[in-house]
Every structure is written in C-alpha cells, then in structure tokens.
Amino acid sequence: MSSDSSPSPEQAILPDIRLSICHTALAGGFLLLNIQNPYKLENIMYLIIMSAMPIVAVISWYFFVKRLQVWKKIPPEIRNRITRTPAALKNRAFSHMLMSLLAASLTALGYIGHLISPLQEQYNKVIEIIVLSLDGLIGVVAIAVLARTVRDLFTFFAAQRS
C-alpha cells in the first residue's frame, strides 16, 4: 500500500478505544488484586502475573494508536458504513462486556480482601488509601464500560427485531 492511497475497508481494523480501556482495567484489577492478596506466593509465577497484564495493556494501546492512524486515512462515508453495522456492535459488545465484568469482579475481590486483611497490616496508611482509590477508579471505569456495552447490545437486539 502506497502512502498516498487510502486503505481499503478490508484492510481496516477498527481502532477500539473501549478494548484498550478494558485491557487497562483488567491489568489494573489484576495488579491491585495481587498487591492486596495477603496470601500471595513469592515465586516466579507471581512475578509473571504481576508483569504480564500491564504489558498486555501497553501493547493494546500501541495497537490502538496504529489502527487509529490507518483509520484516519479511510474516507468518512466508508468509516460510518463499517462502524454502524449492528453485527459489529454485537461482537465488540460481548467481548467488552466479558472483560469489564472481569475487571469489576477483580476490584470487588480486592475490596473483599481488604475487609478480611486490611492493607494497613502490610503497608502504611498512604499506600492503603492509594490502592483503595485505584480500586474504586478501576471499578467505576469497568462499570461504565459495562453500561455502554449493555446499551450496544440493546441496540443490536432492537435492530434484529425490526
């Protein structure tokens, strides 16, 4: 593909910011859950879990930026036709729904862990406040993505009935 020609719709992969947000929420949820886990194992598997999810989030944002650059070269009328199809909304919504539910569940587990073994026993009060604030932020972001996803699914199923 030359630099002066616009990519065809077949070459375009939708730049999905919600997917990157879900990956980031998942990474944050896993990271915070591991920080709050009083029974964590200090071994190589723990290190892999702690480092793998943030790497996935960084890669997800990298691909989002790359896809957005290609997406901007596609004419607007073709972009609208690609993104407005109900099937595209449904497929994206289901994957976003599952990831946001997992991220919200991870933050809920972090709160439950905090009730069982407060962070103040492991860390100082400042770290406890920071971790709980990040838990709340990730929980809110995950629930916001979930709400938007449910709306997309309703849109899809309403279009199917018509």
Side-chain angles (χ1 to χ4, degrees):
M1 173 173 71
S2 67
S3 61
D4 59 322
S5 67
S6 62
S8 70
E10 294 81 26
Q11 294 172 320
I13 298 176
L14 294 175
D16 191 356
I17 194 164
R18 205 179 315 161
L19 182 65
S20 295
I21 291 171
C22 285
H23 284 142
T24 304
L26 273 175
F30 273 113
L31 186 69
L32 289 171
L33 184 63
N34 281 306
I35 288 171
Q36 296 175 81
N37 183 0
Y39 307 107
K40 61 186 169 250
L41 301 173
E42 297 294 338
N43 61 20
I44 192 71
M45 191 56 140
Y46 176 72
L47 180 63
I48 291 170
I49 291 170
M50 288 287 284
S51 60
M53 288 307 292
I55 291 170
V56 168
V58 169
I59 291 170
S60 178
W61 283 103
Y62 170 77
F63 282 120
F64 169 73
V65 170
K66 295 300 272 183
R67 289 174 183 155
L68 187 61
Q69 290 170 351
V70 171
W71 188 252
K72 287 180 178 179
K73 295 177 185 175
I74 297 174
E77 61 276 357
I78 295 175
R79 277 190 261 165
N80 287 336
R81 193 172 18 149
I82 293 171
T83 58
R84 302 293 184 236
T85 61
L89 285 175
K90 181 194 78 157
N91 293 338
R92 289 173 48 196
F94 275 119
S95 67
H96 297 159
M97 180 180 65
L98 293 173
M99 283 190 284
S100 61
L101 280 172
L102 180 58
S105 300
L106 289 171
T107 58
L109 284 174
Y111 279 121
I112 292 169
H114 178 67
L115 293 175
I116 294 170
S117 174
L119 288 172
Q120 202 169 3
E121 293 175 5
Q122 296 176 2
Y123 307 105
N124 62 24
K125 186 72 172 168
V126 174
I127 299 293
E128 177 185 29
I129 291 170
I130 291 170
V131 168
L132 290 176
S133 298
L134 288 172
D135 253 344
L137 175 66
I138 291 171
V140 167
V141 167
I143 291 170
V145 170
L146 181 62
R148 180 65 186 225
T149 297
V150 169
R151 190 198 72 130
D152 287 349
L153 288 172
F154 280 136
T155 301
F156 170 76
F157 291 120
Q160 290 294 95
R161 286 189 204 147
S162 300

